[in-house]
Coordinates of all heavy atoms in Angstrom, one line a residue:
W347 N -3.0 -29.2 -3.2 CA -2.9 -28.4 -2.0 C -4.1 -27.6 -1.8 O -4.6 -26.9 -2.7 CB -1.7 -27.5 -2.1 CG -1.4 -26.7 -0.8 CD1 -1.8 -25.5 -0.5 CD2 -0.6 -27.1 0.3 NE1 -1.4 -25.1 0.7 CE2 -0.6 -26.1 1.2 CE3 0.2 -28.3 0.5 CZ2 0.1 -26.2 2.4 CZ3 0.8 -28.4 1.7 CH2 0.8 -27.3 2.7
Y348 N -4.7 -27.7 -0.6 CA -5.9 -26.9 -0.2 C -5.5 -26.1 1.0 O -5.0 -26.7 2.0 CB -7.1 -27.7 0.1 CG -7.7 -28.5 -1.1 CD1 -8.6 -29.6 -0.9 CD2 -7.3 -28.3 -2.4 CE1 -9.1 -30.3 -1.9 CE2 -7.9 -29.0 -3.5 CZ -8.8 -30.0 -3.2 OH -9.3 -30.8 -4.2
S349 N -5.8 -24.8 1.0 CA -5.5 -24.0 2.2 C -6.5 -22.8 2.2 O -7.0 -22.3 1.1 CB -4.1 -23.5 2.3 OG -3.8 -22.8 1.1
V350 N -6.7 -22.2 3.4 CA -7.5 -21.0 3.5 C -6.6 -19.9 4.1 O -5.8 -20.1 5.0 CB -8.7 -21.3 4.5 CG1 -9.5 -20.0 4.8 CG2 -9.7 -22.3 3.9
Y351 N -6.8 -18.7 3.6 CA -6.0 -17.6 4.1 C -6.9 -16.4 4.3 O -7.9 -16.2 3.6 CB -4.8 -17.3 3.1 CG -5.3 -16.8 1.8 CD1 -5.4 -15.4 1.5 CD2 -5.5 -17.7 0.7 CE1 -5.8 -15.0 0.3 CE2 -5.9 -17.2 -0.5 CZ -6.0 -15.9 -0.8 OH -6.4 -15.4 -2.0
T352 N -6.5 -15.5 5.2 CA -7.0 -14.2 5.4 C -5.8 -13.2 5.2 O -4.7 -13.5 5.8 CB -7.6 -14.0 6.8 OG1 -8.6 -14.9 7.0 CG2 -8.1 -12.6 7.0
F353 N -5.9 -12.2 4.5 CA -4.7 -11.4 4.2 C -4.7 -10.0 4.8 O -5.7 -9.6 5.4 CB -4.6 -11.3 2.6 CG -5.8 -10.8 1.9 CD1 -6.2 -9.5 1.9 CD2 -6.6 -11.8 1.2 CE1 -7.3 -9.1 1.2 CE2 -7.7 -11.4 0.6 CZ -8.1 -10.1 0.5
Q354 N -3.6 -9.4 4.7 CA -3.3 -8.1 5.4 C -2.6 -7.2 4.4 O -2.0 -7.6 3.5 CB -2.4 -8.4 6.6 CG -2.8 -9.5 7.5 CD -1.7 -9.8 8.5 OE1 -1.0 -9.0 9.0 NE2 -1.7 -11.1 8.9
C355 N -2.8 -5.9 4.7 CA -2.0 -4.9 4.0 C -1.3 -4.1 5.2 O -1.9 -3.2 5.8 CB -2.8 -4.0 3.2 SG -3.4 -4.8 1.7
R356 N 0.0 -4.4 5.4 CA 0.7 -3.8 6.6 C 2.1 -3.5 6.2 O 2.7 -4.2 5.2 CB 0.7 -4.7 7.8 CG -0.7 -5.2 8.1 CD -0.6 -6.3 9.2 NE -0.2 -5.8 10.5 CZ 0.1 -6.5 11.6 NH1 0.1 -7.8 11.5 NH2 0.5 -5.9 12.7
R357 N 2.8 -2.6 6.9 CA 4.2 -2.4 6.7 C 4.8 -1.8 8.0 O 4.1 -1.3 8.9 CB 4.5 -1.5 5.5 CG 4.2 -0.1 5.7 CD 4.9 0.8 4.7 NE 4.6 2.2 4.6 CZ 5.1 3.1 5.4 NH1 6.0 2.8 6.3 NH2 4.7 4.4 5.2
M358 N 6.2 -2.0 8.1 CA 6.9 -1.3 9.2 C 6.9 0.2 8.9 O 6.8 0.6 7.7 CB 8.3 -1.8 9.2 CG 8.4 -3.3 9.5 SD 10.2 -3.9 9.4 CE 10.9 -3.1 10.8
A359 N 7.1 1.0 9.9 CA 7.2 2.4 9.8 C 8.5 2.8 9.0 O 8.6 3.7 8.2 CB 7.2 3.1 11.1
R360 N 9.6 2.0 9.3 CA 10.9 2.2 8.7 C 11.4 0.8 8.3 O 11.2 -0.1 9.0 CB 11.9 2.9 9.6 CG 11.6 4.4 9.8 CD 12.7 5.0 10.7 NE 14.0 4.8 10.1 CZ 14.6 5.4 9.1 NH1 14.0 6.4 8.6 NH2 15.8 5.1 8.7
F361 N 12.2 0.8 7.2 CA 12.9 -0.5 6.8 C 14.3 -0.6 7.2 O 14.9 -1.6 7.1 CB 12.7 -0.7 5.3 CG 11.3 -0.8 4.8 CD1 11.0 -0.9 3.4 CD2 10.2 -0.9 5.7 CE1 9.8 -1.0 3.0 CE2 8.9 -1.0 5.2 CZ 8.7 -1.0 3.9
V362 N 14.9 0.6 7.6 CA 16.3 0.6 8.0 C 16.4 1.1 9.4 O 15.9 2.1 9.8 CB 17.2 1.6 7.1 CG1 18.6 1.7 7.6 CG2 17.1 1.2 5.6
H363 N 17.0 0.2 10.3 CA 17.1 0.5 11.7 C 18.6 0.3 12.1 O 19.0 -0.8 12.5 CB 16.2 -0.4 12.5 CG 14.8 -0.1 12.4 ND1 14.1 0.7 13.2 CD2 13.9 -0.5 11.4 CE1 12.8 0.8 12.8 NE2 12.7 0.0 11.7
G364 N 19.4 1.4 11.8 CA 20.8 1.3 12.1 C 21.4 0.2 11.2 O 21.3 0.3 10.0
R365 N 22.0 -0.8 11.8 CA 22.7 -1.9 11.0 C 21.8 -3.0 10.7 O 22.2 -4.1 10.2 CB 23.9 -2.3 11.8 CG 25.0 -1.3 11.9 CD 25.5 -0.9 10.5 NE 26.6 0.1 10.5 CZ 27.9 -0.2 10.4 NH1 28.2 -1.5 10.2 NH2 28.8 0.7 10.4
A366 N 20.5 -2.9 11.0 CA 19.5 -3.9 10.7 C 18.6 -3.4 9.6 O 18.0 -2.3 9.7 CB 18.7 -4.4 11.9
I367 N 18.5 -4.1 8.5 CA 17.7 -3.7 7.3 C 16.7 -4.8 7.0 O 16.9 -6.0 7.1 CB 18.6 -3.5 6.1 CG1 19.8 -2.6 6.4 CG2 17.8 -3.0 4.9 CD1 20.8 -2.5 5.3
F368 N 15.5 -4.3 6.6 CA 14.4 -5.3 6.4 C 13.9 -5.2 4.9 O 13.9 -4.1 4.3 CB 13.2 -4.9 7.3 CG 13.5 -5.2 8.7 CD1 14.2 -4.2 9.5 CD2 13.0 -6.3 9.4 CE1 14.5 -4.5 10.8 CE2 13.3 -6.5 10.7 CZ 14.0 -5.6 11.4
A369 N 13.6 -6.4 4.4 CA 13.2 -6.5 3.0 C 12.1 -7.6 2.9 O 12.1 -8.6 3.6 CB 14.4 -6.8 2.1
G370 N 11.3 -7.5 1.9 CA 10.2 -8.5 1.6 C 9.2 -8.5 2.7 O 8.9 -7.5 3.3
D371 N 8.6 -9.7 2.9 CA 7.5 -9.8 3.8 C 7.9 -9.5 5.3 O 7.0 -9.2 6.1 CB 6.9 -11.3 3.8 CG 6.1 -11.6 2.6 OD1 5.9 -10.6 1.8 OD2 5.7 -12.7 2.4
S372 N 9.1 -9.5 5.6 CA 9.5 -9.0 7.0 C 9.2 -7.5 7.1 O 9.0 -7.1 8.3 CB 11.0 -9.3 7.3 OG 11.8 -8.5 6.5
A373 N 9.2 -6.8 6.0 CA 9.0 -5.3 6.1 C 7.6 -4.9 5.7 O 7.1 -3.9 6.2 CB 10.0 -4.6 5.1
H374 N 6.9 -5.7 4.8 CA 5.6 -5.3 4.4 C 4.8 -6.5 3.9 O 5.3 -7.5 3.4 CB 5.7 -4.3 3.2 CG 6.7 -4.7 2.2 ND1 6.5 -5.7 1.2 CD2 8.0 -4.3 1.9 CE1 7.5 -5.8 0.4 NE2 8.5 -5.0 0.9
L375 N 3.5 -6.4 4.0 CA 2.6 -7.5 3.5 C 1.4 -6.8 2.7 O 0.9 -5.8 3.0 CB 1.9 -8.2 4.7 CG 2.8 -9.1 5.6 CD1 2.1 -9.5 6.8 CD2 3.3 -10.2 4.8
V376 N 1.0 -7.6 1.7 CA -0.1 -7.2 0.8 C -1.0 -8.4 0.6 O -0.6 -9.5 0.8 CB 0.3 -6.5 -0.5 CG1 1.1 -5.2 -0.3 CG2 1.2 -7.5 -1.3
S377 N -2.2 -8.1 0.1 CA -3.0 -9.2 -0.4 C -2.4 -9.9 -1.6 O -1.7 -9.2 -2.3 CB -4.5 -8.7 -0.7 OG -4.5 -8.2 -1.9
P378 N -2.8 -11.1 -1.9 CA -2.2 -11.8 -3.1 C -2.8 -11.3 -4.4 O -2.2 -11.6 -5.5 CB -2.6 -13.3 -2.9 CG -3.8 -13.2 -2.0 CD -3.6 -12.0 -1.1
F379 N -3.9 -10.5 -4.4 CA -4.4 -10.0 -5.6 C -3.6 -8.9 -6.2 O -3.4 -7.9 -5.6 CB -5.9 -9.6 -5.4 CG -6.8 -10.7 -5.0 CD1 -7.2 -10.8 -3.7 CD2 -7.2 -11.6 -5.9 CE1 -8.0 -11.9 -3.3 CE2 -8.0 -12.7 -5.5 CZ -8.5 -12.8 -4.2
G380 N -3.1 -9.2 -7.4 CA -2.1 -8.3 -8.0 C -0.7 -8.8 -8.0 O 0.2 -8.1 -8.6
A381 N -0.4 -9.9 -7.3 CA 0.9 -10.5 -7.3 C 1.9 -9.5 -6.9 O 3.0 -9.4 -7.5 CB 1.2 -11.1 -8.7
R382 N 1.7 -8.8 -5.8 CA 2.6 -7.7 -5.3 C 3.5 -8.2 -4.2 O 4.3 -7.4 -3.7 CB 1.8 -6.5 -5.0 CG 1.1 -5.9 -6.2 CD 0.2 -4.7 -5.8 NE -0.4 -4.2 -7.1 CZ 0.2 -3.2 -7.8 NH1 1.3 -2.7 -7.4 NH2 -0.4 -2.8 -8.9
G383 N 3.3 -9.4 -3.6 CA 4.1 -9.8 -2.5 C 5.5 -10.1 -2.8 O 6.4 -9.3 -2.5
C384 N 5.8 -11.3 -3.4 CA 7.1 -11.6 -3.8 C 7.7 -10.7 -4.8 O 8.9 -10.4 -4.7 CB 7.2 -13.1 -4.3 SG 8.8 -13.8 -4.4

């Protein structure tokens, strides 16, 4: 498998919005260096 990526370090301001809750990449993103994503 060959692929090219550009990465981001981002997150939502809040992860709980009433009855909707966010977890994982839907809530936050990091670069792959450090294995902090999954």
Side-chain angles (χ1 to χ4, degrees):
W347 183 268
Y348 296 165
S349 61
V350 172
Y351 65 91
T352 300
F353 49 81
Q354 311 168 32
C355 287
R356 308 173 69 189
R357 73 163 172 85
M358 299 175 67
R360 289 183 52 82
F361 297 174
V362 177
H363 291 265
R365 293 301 183 98
I367 305 172
F368 293 80
D371 285 353
S372 71
H374 47 76
L375 289 173
V376 293
S377 80
F379 295 105
R382 294 173 179 272
C384 193

